[in-house]
Amino acid sequence: MADTYDFGLVGLGVMGRNFILNVADNGFTAFGNDLDEEKVGALITEGGDTDKVNASSDVKTFVNALTTPRKIMLLVPAGKVVDIVIESLLPHLDKGDIIIDGGNSFFTDTDRREAYLKEKGINFFGAGVSGGAKGARRGPSIMPGGSREAYQHVKPIFEAVSAKYKGEPCVAYLGPKSAGNYVKMVHNGIEYGLMQLTSEIYDLLKKAGGLSNAELHQTFGQWNEGRLQSFLVEITSEIFEQKDDLGDGELVDKILDKAKQKGTGKWTSQNAMDLGIPVPTIDVAVSMRELSALKEERIKADALYDRPTPKTVDKADFISKAEQALYFAFIITYAQGMHQLADASKEYGYELELGEIAKIWRAGCIIRAALLADITDAYQANENLENLLLSPSFVEKVKETVDAAREMTAYGALNGIPLAGLSNALTYFDAYTSSRLPLNLIQAQRDYFGSHTYERVDREGIFHTEWEDN
Ligand code: 6PG
């Protein structure tokens, strides 16, 4: 057993246990803490063959076992529990110690905690950790925000345990205050968008293309070998071959079509609205989860309305266009998320480097994808890029695929297949690339009924008209 330990972790659920074992695998000593004696025991047993891991349910024993400045990561549920754990640690800490919240905390909570702990001389980090339980064990993407100086103490451990993309660690200091939690929130918003789009393409391939689960497995598997290569496409392929161990056939067909959510996608949308940045593909992904939850109402409504029978398609051509449409819509979703990050960085003083963020998303996290290498290049070529759609390399990618996105969207509309994400991505593209939109009419209406004034295209100034009311 070590005398003192390099790293402390509170919350020995699956994520916490896996993270601590990952720390130990990388040559650091680590001490765990959880109120639940069983979880403490489980970690000691699992980490028992090394002299690197220890644990206790007693907070004082835990804190005293750590090398100063102490580096204590919390992997506990977001919300009140984080505050409770912080309060339980505080009496035992020394100035300069570091607490890292690795959960999906709301960014304003992180700002509040950071300010509170700063007064006490404690450094607080909000660090998004992505990659699920497997990622925590084998290498997650980590998104830390907080004090740049204090990060130097955490850096060697985080760089060692994080996922690697071609040898480069998928972690970087992102910015002050809640920068890390904010970036993780938008990561999850993008995750919602990509998942919604994947489910729509599945619907198209199944209902119109007539693909069986075996064919869906093969199709997504092939796509994962190409430009759509990504964690989500990879697991989608695997999902289609999972057999149901409680009955016949594949499990996917037995899963209730009500998607749950813990809130990070909704927060992304809500905050984008506050900032005034459009992220409609993410918004609609949240709405579709809400709509999916209305199962009983949907069943009643389904009985009241006819639905067109999907028209026969040329299977090979349809699959190829579905691939293009998905690629197009993935690009649009990343573009919206990155746009939100760029604006939030100015609003909240995060000083985010979007190229760095894309870089640490290339491996380990849920939204990792081949596309992120291209996104990294685009922001490295121009760090002030306002929107991915303005990057020359993305202009080419979009031009190649937008026609298929139009065709698929039209097919869905005519054949009664809801494509909320895809159609929204297309609308976003068409609107963002329109130098003239019809919103001059909205300005006229506002001025007509409320004297809200308008600007003109041909001269400077603010105008109001006494509209003729006949
Ligand atoms: C990750 C995930 C992770 C979690 C999601 C699930 O990056 O590892 O995003 O944080 O699985 O938050 O979110 P919902 O329950 O809201 O779908």
Side-chain angles (χ1 to χ4, degrees), residues 226-261:
R227 60 186 167 183
L228 270 175
Q229 190 279 317
S230 57
F231 173 71
L232 287 169
V233 169
E234 181 189 333
I235 65 163
T236 301
S237 167
E238 285 169 14
I239 285 168
F240 289 118
E241 53 162 16
Q242 181 80 38
K243 295 280 174 233
D244 179 11
D245 57 7
L246 297 179
D248 294 338
E250 287 78 35
L251 177 61
V252 68
D253 296 324
K254 309 282 175 56
I255 296 179
L256 187 65
D257 54 336
K258 278 163 91 166
K260 300 277 165 64
Q261 50 182 322

Side-chain angles (χ1 to χ4, degrees), residues 1-8 23-24 27-32 44 47-55 61-67:
M1 289 288 158
D3 289 342
T4 54
Y5 292 76
D6 303 318
F7 189 75
V23 170
F28 297 95
T29 51
F31 203 103
I44 292 176
D49 55 344
T50 80
D51 58 358
K52 293 205 172 69
V53 177
N54 204 344
T61 309
F62 164 70
V63 174
N64 287 341
L66 303 173
T67 316

Side-chain angles (χ1 to χ4, degrees), residues 68-89:
T68 53
R70 299 180 179 88
K71 295 157 278 295
I72 301 175
M73 182 144 166
L74 319 184
L75 278 172
V76 299
K80 260 198 206 130
V81 182
V82 176
D83 294 306
I84 294 169
V85 173
I86 290 172
E87 288 308 322
S88 73
L89 291 170

Side-chain angles (χ1 to χ4, degrees), residues 104 129-132 184 187-188 191-192 260-264 289 366:
N104 282 327
V129 179
S130 179
K184 176 62 181 10
H187 164 286
N188 282 23
E191 173 185 303
Y192 272 51
K260 300 277 165 64
Q261 50 182 322
K262 289 199 225 54
T264 46
R289 290 197 190 192
I366 303 295

Side-chain angles (χ1 to χ4, degrees), residues 446-454 462-467:
R446 292 177 69 245
D447 192 57
Y448 187 115
F449 63 66
S451 303
H452 293 299
T453 73
Y454 56 89
I462 304 292
F463 296 85
H464 166 64
T465 294
E466 287 304 316
W467 298 85

